[in-house]
Amino acid sequence: MTEAKERTRDRISRRQVDKFEQRRAQLAESALQTLAELGYARTSLREIAQNSDFSHGVLHYYFADKVDLLTHCVRQFEEVCVTRYDEIVARARTAAELQRDFAKAMGATLRADAKLHRLWYDLRNQSLFEESFRADVLEIDRRREEMIWHVVSRYAELVSAPVDVPASVAYALLDGLFQQALLRHLAGVEGAAGDLEREVPSVLARVVAS
């Protein structure tokens, strides 16, 4: 085979792969709301198909099973989530500004994306039992930890003090606080997001050396 023919074949192959991945992304976007509404245990590929414009057969063609689809959905959502606070960190000029804007952003995403965050925690809990997507969950969790560390380390710079805890501890504190607020918010507790916004600044202050 000539070099020109090989290049043509490679381009066609790449286009086919790109189209396949684009289709998977479209299907995952469509399925995400159903998964977020019903949760892992109550959702099947058939259920997703019934709540979308795609047939059960199409979903099976692009995804091996529910686990494959679910992890793809959450990864797609997390691609946006893990950069959520980058702009806030970049523009912060004072520690107080970073505390305020970070807390507001956490409250805002709690209000706007509660069911999607619930899906992430559902998946993380399921990974304790389902080994098949445990590696995916660990990778997403690692990236979320890095996201929080980015905020915490910038706050430490602005107050000219070292961070007093490891990245894993800082993440556990803020993630735990968010999960508690999410539970209260889903339970209909009035002001759960506002409480979160008031509590976040004090956590930031506590993770740096006094």
Side-chain angles (χ1 to χ4, degrees):
M1 182 180 293
T2 66
E3 185 176 341
K5 285 184 178 180
E6 286 186 5
R7 287 200 300 268
T8 300
R9 188 183 65 176
D10 289 344
R11 284 198 299 271
I12 292 172
S13 179
R14 283 197 299 272
R15 283 201 299 270
Q16 289 173 338
V17 170
D18 289 344
K19 286 181 179 179
F20 186 83
E21 288 304 317
Q22 287 169 8
R23 189 63 163 162
R24 276 168 61 90
Q26 290 172 353
L27 291 167
E29 184 67 29
S30 176
L32 191 56
Q33 295 303 323
T34 300
L35 284 162
E37 185 68 38
L38 299 179
Y40 174 82
R42 295 168 57 200
T43 308
S44 64
L45 288 183
R46 192 172 299 281
E47 184 78 32
I48 293 167
Q50 290 172 353
N51 286 277
S52 72
D53 297 328
F54 305 104
S55 70
H56 183 237
V58 168
L59 288 173
H60 254 307
Y61 177 77
Y62 285 96
F63 297 97
D65 51 28
K66 183 176 73 171
V67 170
D68 186 21
L69 174 58
L70 179 59
T71 51
H72 195 89
C73 286
V74 174
R75 276 184 172 276
Q76 203 159 292
F77 176 61
E78 285 299 312
E79 285 298 324
V80 178
C81 287
V82 295
T83 59
R84 179 184 291 118
Y85 307 120
D86 286 359
E87 185 179 344
I88 291 170
V89 171
R91 71 169 182 251
R93 294 294 174 266
T94 67
E97 182 183 354
L98 181 58
Q99 282 178 311
R100 181 197 66 214
D101 291 349
F102 176 53
K104 284 185 176 179
M106 288 192 76
T109 191
L110 176 64
R111 295 183 184 94
D113 302 313
K115 290 180 179 178
L116 294 173
H117 289 298
R118 177 177 66 181
L119 178 61
W120 156 245
Y121 289 115
D122 185 19
L123 177 60
R124 191 164 73 177
N125 288 336
Q126 288 294 332
S127 71
L128 297 173
F129 304 94
E130 292 274 359
E131 187 178 353
S132 55
F133 54 78
R134 195 169 294 159
D136 290 295
V137 167
L138 286 170
E139 173 60 18
I140 293 169
D141 214 39
R142 181 190 65 77
R143 294 186 65 190
R144 289 170 67 94
E145 181 180 311
E146 288 177 351
M147 171 186 70
I148 293 300
W149 184 249
H150 190 42
V151 176
V152 169
S153 57
R154 176 58 178 155
Y155 177 78
E157 288 178 9
L158 291 169
V159 296
S160 301
V163 183
D164 210 22
V165 297
S168 58
V169 173
Y171 173 53
L173 288 169
L174 286 162
D175 183 67
L177 188 64
F178 185 87
Q179 188 175 11
Q180 288 178 338
L182 175 64
L183 177 59
R184 293 198 299 272
H185 178 76
L186 291 170
V189 175
E190 189 175 349
D195 291 340
L196 175 65
E197 291 176 9
R198 285 187 289 275
E199 292 162 355
V200 166
S202 65
V203 174
L204 278 179
R206 289 172 185 272
V207 298
V208 300
S210 57

